[in-house]
Amino acid sequence: MFTGQPPGPPPPPPGLLGQASLLQATPGIPRTSNSTLVDELESSFEACFASLVSQDYVNGTDQEEIRTGVDQCIQKFLDIARQTECFFLQKRLQLSVQKPEQVIKEDVSELRNELQRKDALVQKHLTKLRHWQQVLEDINVQHKKPADLPQGSLAYLEQASANIPAPMKQS
């Protein structure tokens, strides 16, 4: 051990990724003997929620005291969330060192899922594109029809008005 470093529990055995390794204490952070990071994260979240809906805070008159209490609860939750994230990042690093092929498999799987998602998105856009191409084609066909009809403004107006729906009668 390095000089000045507080003694801590021995590191978990390599490859141990279960919840039991969450019992490992983080240096400098006090923990109860049977508390895990996940338990502390859950309890700090509950404390945040309770502080927001507590009758003491609702009936309280000192807004600054209320704000300070809520800020402290939220800060504790954020600190424990950072510790939890750090724990999982450390486990991820251990996994990448001990089993690099597993990390590569996960990356390939994520890339395949991303490709499938993007293919579905492309198909969706192609469907919309075909629909609008058909709409434009229908409009072009309608505009070409008046040229086939006998020349005259009356015939053109009759053809154009035939395509307009009749107004609905109000009863």
Side-chain angles (χ1 to χ4, degrees):
M1 288 226 136
F2 295 108
T3 325
Q5 185 180 18
L16 179 61
L17 295 174
Q19 187 171 351
S21 60
L22 285 175
L23 292 173
Q24 177 184 358
T26 306
I29 307 296
R31 286 228 191 329
T32 59
S33 61
N34 60 354
S35 175
T36 66
L37 270 174
V38 174
D39 292 337
E40 288 185 24
L41 185 67
E42 182 180 4
S43 66
S44 67
F45 175 75
E46 289 170 356
C48 287
F49 190 71
S51 70
L52 293 173
V53 296
S54 171
Q55 282 300 97
D56 296 337
Y57 287 139
V58 172
N59 297 332
T61 56
D62 187 10
Q63 293 295 323
E64 192 60 35
E65 182 180 329
I66 294 169
R67 183 173 290 127
T68 303
V70 170
D71 286 345
Q72 287 175 348
C73 287
I74 290 173
Q75 190 59 45
K76 180 181 178 187
F77 173 75
L78 292 174
D79 289 342
I80 294 173
R82 283 187 200 103
Q83 292 172 22
T84 306
E85 180 182 24
C86 183
F87 172 81
F88 284 108
L89 287 173
Q90 289 172 348
K91 291 301 173 186
R92 178 76 176 174
L93 179 62
Q94 286 177 356
L95 180 66
S96 69
V97 169
Q98 293 171 357
K99 297 183 179 184
E101 69 278 357
Q102 184 66 30
V103 175
I104 292 171
K105 285 179 184 177
E106 288 177 11
D107 290 343
V108 167
S109 175
E110 288 175 12
L111 288 171
R112 281 189 181 130
N113 290 339
E114 185 70 15
L115 280 174
Q116 289 174 349
R117 187 186 67 79
K118 288 185 178 184
D119 283 342
L121 189 61
V122 166
Q123 290 302 319
K124 177 182 169 186
H125 286 297
L126 284 175
T127 303
K128 287 182 179 181
L129 181 63
R130 287 186 197 112
H131 168 75
W132 287 110
Q133 284 175 336
Q134 185 63 43
V135 168
L136 287 173
E137 200 173 289
D138 292 346
I139 290 172
N140 286 337
V141 168
Q142 288 179 355
H143 286 298
K144 289 180 182 179
K145 282 184 179 179
D148 297 340
L149 294 175
Q151 295 298 322
S153 58
L154 187 58
Y156 177 73
L157 286 175
E158 286 176 356
Q159 178 64 28
S161 64
N163 292 332
I164 298 174
M168 296 186 66
K169 296 180 182 178
Q170 296 180 354
S171 43

